[in-house]
Amino acid sequence: MNLETVTGMVLSAMPIGEYDKRLVILTKEFGRISAFAKGARKPNSALLAPSQPFAFGVFTLYQGRSSYTVNSADIQNYFEELRTDLEKIAYGMYFCEVAAHLTYENVEAVGILKLLYQSLKALNKEKLPKDMVKSIFEMKALDFNGETPRVFECVKCQRKPTAESKDFFAGFSSRAGGMVCSCCREGIKDILMISDTTIYTLQFIVSSRVEKLFTFLLKEPYEEELKKVAAQYMKCYVDGEFQSLTMLKDFL
């Protein structure tokens, strides 16, 4: 029997047959994979709890010719706090759906796995607005996916603001790929005018380790600016619709 041990999180679970489940697991070692959990729907199954979305831990898998089968699981975090709150579930499922969309089998996904884990933890921080957690997650996920916004310099002319320069940036353009200076803004139609505070926030998100992302608060006007930037950036660089957004819109 060819067994593989992986660290990962269950993104989604679908019933198969009478007692089984088909899981989508985001793993550190193999990226996004599909795996069958045989008997996971039986009340006395050892895989009943580990085959739920958000379950994070170590999975032992049997690798067949065309698919994986879960042999056992040692779950380190079930994120029970999310499961008792419909709003948190909606945000969590959205994060999982985005993570599934941006990752592939046999393509390294350590960064997005860490981001997903820390974002779910952040949903339980009462002082952190959940839509701000969503915005940070979206911008960092696209950063890991290779669509890193240019926020330290003008994306067109590559000039950086100096200490003496005032109103250097005209705003943020998703189509251009980041910040645009006042001299280069002509002809760019999707510019969002944002404050220096929001620019600094974007710079922090892009340059910080995942563990540091959810360590700050924003006043409401800046939080709204970040939300608009993230929404525009997601719309520009991510194709398709997310089913979880339908439920999430009830809370936004």
Side-chain angles (χ1 to χ4, degrees):
M1 181 179 290
N2 186 17
L3 292 177
E4 298 281 357
T5 300
V6 300
T7 299
M9 180 181 293
V10 177
L11 302 181
S12 63
M14 178 185 297
I16 298 291
E18 189 173 0
Y19 297 114
D20 304 338
K21 282 187 177 182
R22 177 182 175 273
L23 310 181
V24 176
I25 306 174
L26 183 59
T27 72
K28 181 174 69 174
E29 293 80 5
F30 303 127
R32 172 171 52 84
I33 65 170
S34 296
F36 292 97
K38 293 184 178 180
R41 297 167 64 197
K42 294 181 179 180
N44 60 346
S45 172
L47 296 179
L48 178 64
S51 63
Q52 301 293 324
F54 311 143
F56 175 86
V58 177
F59 296 82
T60 301
L61 309 173
Y62 166 67
Q63 185 176 10
R65 289 185 177 181
S66 59
S67 64
Y68 293 95
T69 300
V70 180
N71 187 60
S72 63
D74 180 13
I75 302 303
Q76 300 167 13
N77 196 337
Y78 286 101
F79 289 97
E80 293 93 339
E81 302 91 341
L82 302 185
R83 303 175 190 278
T84 59
D85 187 310
L86 286 178
E87 183 179 12
K88 291 178 182 179
I89 290 175
Y91 278 97
M93 293 308 298
Y94 172 68
F95 296 164
C96 287
E97 198 172 353
V98 172
H101 185 83
L102 297 180
T103 53
Y104 304 89
E105 188 168 349
N106 294 321
V107 177
E108 182 270 330
V110 174
I112 291 186
L113 179 60
K114 285 184 177 180
L115 175 63
L116 178 59
Y117 185 87
Q118 294 297 332
S119 299
L120 293 181
K121 286 183 64 176
L123 290 177
N124 287 315
K125 295 182 178 180
E126 296 302 324
K127 292 184 178 180
L128 275 179
K130 295 175 183 62
D131 54 352
M132 191 181 87
V133 175
K134 175 177 176 286
S135 298
I136 295 172
F137 170 84
E138 290 169 335
M139 294 304 296
K140 195 64 176 180
L142 289 173
D143 174 28
F144 281 131
N145 201 50
E147 288 93 12
T148 304
R150 300 271 290 274
V151 291
F152 290 92
E153 60 194 13
C154 174
V155 72
K156 291 293 186 179
C157 66
Q158 286 79 55
R159 290 188 302 131
K160 296 181 179 180
T162 64
E164 294 77 22
S165 60
K166 293 183 178 181
D167 301 322
F168 177 83
F169 287 124
F172 183 93
S173 166
S174 292
R175 290 187 179 275
M179 300 303 301
V180 178
C181 73
S182 300
C183 297
C184 297
R185 69 164 298 164
E186 187 175 353
I188 300 177
K189 297 180 180 180
D190 68 336
I191 286 185
L192 293 174
M193 297 181 63
I194 57 177
S195 63
D196 288 344
T197 296
T198 304
I199 295 172
Y200 298 149
T201 301
L202 291 170
Q203 292 172 345
F204 180 81
I205 292 171
V206 169
S207 61
S208 295
R209 295 186 299 112
V210 169
E211 293 80 4
K212 297 290 185 180
L213 285 178
F214 303 104
T215 58
F216 65 92
L217 292 172
L218 291 173
K219 292 183 178 179
E220 187 173 347
Y222 310 129
E223 184 185 322
E224 284 300 312
E225 288 182 354
L226 178 62
K227 184 177 177 180
K228 289 179 181 178
V229 169
Q232 185 194 77
Y233 209 62
M234 284 287 291
K235 185 176 181 180
C236 187
Y237 290 100
V238 178
D239 296 326
E241 296 291 332
F242 296 105
Q243 294 182 355
S244 51
L245 276 182
T246 302
M247 182 168 62
L248 188 56
K249 284 177 181 177
D250 294 335
F251 302 102
L252 294 177

